[in-house]
Amino acid sequence: GGGVFDGEAILACVQKLADELTRPEACASEIENGCALVVNKCCDGLDSYVNDRGRDRGDSARLRIVAECATALEGSIEDVVSQTAFLTNEGCQLLEDALVKRVMDLEAAMFDEFLESIRQKISTYTRLGPMISDDDDYDRDQYVVVERNTPNKTKPIEPKFPAYLSASLLAIVRCRAQVERTLGEKTIRKCEDIPYQFLAMSTAADSVVDGICFEMDQRMAQMRGTQADVYLNELQFLINTLRKYLSKDLLGVAEHCREKYLSK
């Protein structure tokens, strides 16, 4: 439950057996079952580290377990299997599949939970704020704040970078930093052969575009041409900025939304 997969300790146990047993090949089944049992216990301990007595340690703990699993899959698991095969004269043919599957199942559960957490958090940043207008016709529009002209108002307010874009992009940057801090920039997810950082960034980018396009669709029917132009420019900026990380499906959603704004 300490958040560490101690593959070195498992390997040391196998090596100790090699020194103590006179005919280890005759005990191949027991050695295989023993290794599988120990790895299962290690994975159970990692899982309990995240959910410690019902208290969720959060995304940082999940990423830590993902990192432990990734390291084990690329190192200690292979070493244990290799040493066991040597010890039993290739008598544990099913061991590698069993160990790899157990570790990958834990890794998948933890990383999927982390990605779902990203989606939920980013949904809170993609809500569009009200647009500012000095047109009295918008008084009853739930999406627009009307600014009255006053004698002291001599020039229009300088346009500001939209708050929803700032918040969304900052959330993506934080996501990237969190993954990079725990897993590094180039650590590969074994089941997809893609860096964890890219997968997290892609999930975050997709979530941002999906949420913003949904918000834009909600208010499109009540929008005038000048407002549509503003949102169109912001959407194009978002597509250009995140294109590298967007999935084909979400890129299609963004392009479809952009085309509808072009027709306004």
Side-chain angles (χ1 to χ4, degrees), residues 103-127:
V103 175
M104 289 187 71
D105 285 347
L106 176 63
E107 180 270 350
M110 291 296 162
F111 196 57
D112 288 348
E113 287 179 15
F114 172 72
L115 295 182
E116 181 57 32
S117 176
I118 289 176
R119 297 184 187 98
Q120 292 177 1
K121 289 178 179 177
I122 283 185
S123 66
T124 65
Y125 300 118
T126 57
R127 299 189 181 98

Side-chain angles (χ1 to χ4, degrees), residues 148-157:
R148 307 295 183 186
N149 288 319
T150 62
N152 296 328
K153 188 175 178 180
T154 59
K155 62 179 181 178
I157 299 174

Side-chain angles (χ1 to χ4, degrees), residues 50-103:
V50 175
N51 302 291
D52 182 22
R53 301 174 185 177
R55 180 173 63 89
D56 189 346
R57 290 179 184 266
D59 290 341
S60 295
R62 290 186 180 86
L63 281 181
R64 176 174 174 175
I65 301 311
V66 170
E68 289 291 324
C69 290
T71 300
L73 289 169
E74 291 300 320
S76 54
I77 291 295
E78 292 181 355
D79 293 339
V80 169
V81 170
S82 177
Q83 183 66 32
T84 304
F86 175 77
L87 174 65
T88 61
N89 195 23
E90 306 294 338
C92 298
Q93 297 179 357
L94 301 179
L95 180 61
E96 182 174 10
D97 289 344
L99 300 189
V100 168
K101 182 179 184 305
R102 181 65 182 94
V103 175

Side-chain angles (χ1 to χ4, degrees), residues 73-74 78 100 104 188-194 196:
L73 289 169
E74 291 300 320
E78 292 181 355
V100 168
M104 289 187 71
I188 301 294
R189 191 180 193 193
K190 189 178 181 70
C191 64
E192 297 184 75
D193 199 29
I194 298 173
Y196 283 100

